[in-house]
Amino acid sequence: MVFVNSRAVAPEAVRPPTLEAVGLDFDHDIELVLAFLNTCDAEKGTESLDDHDQWQQWCTDRGLGTAPDVEAAREIRDSMRSAVSYGTRPPELATAWPVQVRLQRGIPVLTGADALGTVLVAAARLVHTGHWDRIKICPAEDCLWAFYDRSRNRSRTWCSMRVCGNREKARSWRERHTTSA
């Protein structure tokens, strides 16, 4: 112990950063949750959760292991999409999904018991770290793509200003100039 100006100063303990110690990666969580939310594509008219084989392939492509019930996955995905969409209120789901708490290097970490549990654990981490509020759904009816708002003031509206934002601005301009003529 060292005395400085009549105060005792203890040496600082060197502690490893918790996130690094257990391998948490919020960018990976964001990518996984966005990929799950985007399993339906309004622009292409595709739905990855149409049948169990497509859902299993989606899980396999991401190294998530076994795919649980596809109907439950679709219900949870739709509820999560509603939660991040403008002007919609998600339905109340009484769905519970099993997750596990494991100790990694002495630190408790949530892990999914299956593919859907892994997605839900990633989403829960985003909620608890303040990243969830930045996940949004593009309001363009022909898009509806989930994206992560990386703007400083969290004001991004469109998935892409070059595509959806530009289309909406052009549509709005045409409406204003058509009705005024």
Side-chain angles (χ1 to χ4, degrees):
M1 191 166 305
V2 178
F3 289 93
V4 179
N5 294 336
S6 302
R7 292 188 196 160
V9 179
E12 286 189 35
V14 178
R15 301 182 75 193
T18 304
L19 295 179
E20 291 174 13
V22 295
L24 294 180
D25 180 3
F26 294 113
D27 286 333
H28 178 263
D29 289 345
I30 291 166
E31 289 173 26
L32 179 60
V33 170
L34 288 177
F36 180 67
L37 294 175
N38 288 325
T39 53
C40 59
D41 189 336
E43 191 172 33
K44 293 179 183 175
T46 59
E47 169 63 81
S48 298
L49 300 181
D50 267 346
D51 64 49
H52 186 75
D53 291 338
Q54 286 180 324
W55 169 226
Q56 180 61 57
Q57 186 60 50
W58 187 91
C59 296
T60 302
D61 290 348
R62 284 153 187 81
L64 300 178
T66 308
D69 181 44
V70 69
E71 288 81 19
R74 192 177 319 111
E75 183 178 82
I76 289 170
R77 188 235 15 231
D78 292 346
S79 180
M80 288 171 63
R81 283 182 64 88
S82 294
V84 296
S85 294
Y86 291 105
T88 61
R89 185 179 175 113
E92 290 296 325
L93 287 180
T95 302
W97 210 260
V99 295
Q100 302 168 348
V101 178
R102 293 191 179 164
L103 285 178
Q104 289 182 340
R105 298 183 183 183
I107 300 169
V109 177
L110 284 176
T111 59
D114 58 17
L116 189 52
T118 302
V119 170
L120 290 171
V121 165
R125 279 195 293 259
L126 296 179
V127 169
H128 290 288
T129 58
H131 291 83
W132 178 261
D133 293 338
R134 289 182 174 265
I135 294 178
K136 298 178 180 179
I137 302 290
C138 182
E141 291 295 324
D142 55 347
C143 180
L144 303 173
W145 197 249
F147 66 94
Y148 186 76
D149 181 357
R150 294 186 187 275
S151 67
R152 178 180 275 181
N153 62 359
R154 302 174 186 222
S155 63
R156 188 170 153 196
T157 302
W158 310 101
C159 65
S160 166
M161 200 57 215
R162 286 189 208 136
V163 180
C164 293
N166 190 35
R167 283 184 202 156
E168 182 57 32
K169 285 184 174 187
R171 193 176 302 129
S172 176
W173 184 88
R174 280 192 307 272
E175 286 175 6
R176 280 193 317 269
H177 287 80
T178 306
T179 52
S180 63

